[in-house]
Amino acid sequence: MDYSVGQVAGFAGVTVRTLHHYDDIGLLVPSERSHAGHRRYSDADLDRLQQILFYRELGFPLEEVAALLDDPDTDPRAHLRRQHELLTARIEKLRKMAAAVEHAMEARTMGLNLTPEERFEVFGDNDPEQYAEEVEQRWGGTDEYADSRRRTASYTKEDWKRIQAEAAGWGERYGALMAADEPPTGEAAMTLAEEHRQHICTWFYECSYEIHRCLGEMYVSDERFKAFYEVLRPGLAEHLRDAIVANAARHTS
């Protein structure tokens, strides 16, 4: 059987634009073309795409993925063994690492040095202490949690307004980026992903690329975070997660 580019995009959870890009750079060239010149993908092409997505999820840059997959001395079973080892190592690292919380939850959980009137002015009817106990249980022993509490405890009403204004401006620009159909692996998306990381570093704690990757996964897996980003634009949580992964890969490879 063969499949259209739209079908493959649906199977794999990627955009048609991403598949076009993979074709353009020779990473995933469809086996066939229709009489009209449309891409047609075979089962073997889908197997290769799965391998590509495995390595991308692990943070490998596209050039390195191509080199690994096109190595004539490596068989498919070796790829699976390598990916299993890498995934096992990553799972263990993530299990041990306590990822701290992104700014939206931070603003609602860190003992804020504001009067009740100021809290209402800044946060509206959102309870700033709603998740405090959960956050302390999950991350209370980490340096990031301690750093964030230390910083946020001293913030004034104007500081919080500035933080929220910066976040809102970023959200508008990211929504516009998605409306323009920019891929998460593109320069524009990676730049905004880096700005997102720097915002956390500036206001809350030192957010390494590994922590940022963990946050990206949490934005998708935790329904509260996902809902926060879905309000900005449907699909933004997944798009941002992929942009965070791509941005981390280009800075750490």
Side-chain angles (χ1 to χ4, degrees), residues 117-169:
E117 292 79 8
E118 288 174 329
R119 289 189 185 193
F120 185 81
E121 182 179 348
V122 174
F123 302 114
D125 58 0
N126 292 313
D127 179 8
E129 302 297 332
Q130 181 178 358
Y131 302 112
E133 183 176 349
E134 176 187 348
V135 170
E136 185 170 5
Q137 288 176 349
R138 295 178 68 180
W139 296 292
T142 66
D143 292 339
E144 289 79 14
Y145 177 88
D147 189 20
S148 187
R149 280 197 68 90
R150 178 183 57 78
R151 295 195 206 182
T152 57
S154 66
Y155 287 167
T156 66
K157 176 184 70 175
E158 296 307 316
D159 290 327
W160 285 114
K161 284 187 172 182
R162 181 179 172 187
I163 290 168
Q164 292 195 316
E166 288 182 5

Side-chain angles (χ1 to χ4, degrees), residues 11 14 22 24 41 60 65 95 165 187 204 229:
F11 296 156
V14 298
Y22 288 173
D24 292 340
Y41 293 83
F60 283 69
V65 174
R95 187 184 66 80
E187 183 68 28
F204 299 108
Y229 284 109

Side-chain angles (χ1 to χ4, degrees), residues 141-209:
T142 66
D143 292 339
E144 289 79 14
Y145 177 88
D147 189 20
S148 187
R149 280 197 68 90
R150 178 183 57 78
R151 295 195 206 182
T152 57
S154 66
Y155 287 167
T156 66
K157 176 184 70 175
E158 296 307 316
D159 290 327
W160 285 114
K161 284 187 172 182
R162 181 179 172 187
I163 290 168
Q164 292 195 316
E166 288 182 5
W170 176 91
E172 290 177 2
R173 286 181 287 123
Y174 206 100
L177 176 147
M178 290 184 65
D181 200 26
E182 290 286 343
T185 55
E187 183 68 28
M190 289 191 291
T191 296
L192 282 183
E194 177 63 18
E195 184 177 324
H196 181 276
R197 189 184 72 86
Q198 290 294 339
H199 178 83
I200 297 172
C201 291
T202 298
W203 292 104
F204 299 108
Y205 54 86
E206 188 59 33
C207 181
S208 69
Y209 289 105

Side-chain angles (χ1 to χ4, degrees), residues 34-133:
S34 70
H35 292 300
H38 298 146
R39 297 169 174 85
R40 305 297 299 181
Y41 293 83
S42 68
D43 289 332
D45 296 331
L46 295 184
D47 288 341
R48 182 178 174 90
L49 177 58
Q50 185 180 50
Q51 298 295 323
I52 291 168
L53 296 179
F54 268 133
Y55 282 119
R56 291 297 290 149
E57 182 66 23
L58 291 166
F60 283 69
L62 292 178
E63 296 81 0
E64 190 169 345
V65 174
L68 287 167
L69 295 182
D70 294 333
D71 183 352
D73 296 327
T74 303
D75 63 36
R77 288 174 299 180
H79 281 299
L80 290 173
R81 285 194 297 270
R82 176 182 177 85
Q83 289 163 357
H84 184 268
E85 292 170 359
L86 291 169
L87 285 169
T88 301
R90 181 175 177 185
I91 290 169
E92 180 64 15
K93 184 174 183 179
L94 294 178
R95 187 184 66 80
K96 293 179 178 178
M97 186 178 72
V101 184
E102 180 264 2
H103 73 273
M105 189 175 281
E106 291 275 4
R108 293 167 173 78
T109 59
M110 298 295 138
L112 307 178
N113 186 25
L114 302 177
T115 67
E117 292 79 8
E118 288 174 329
R119 289 189 185 193
F120 185 81
E121 182 179 348
V122 174
F123 302 114
D125 58 0
N126 292 313
D127 179 8
E129 302 297 332
Q130 181 178 358
Y131 302 112
E133 183 176 349

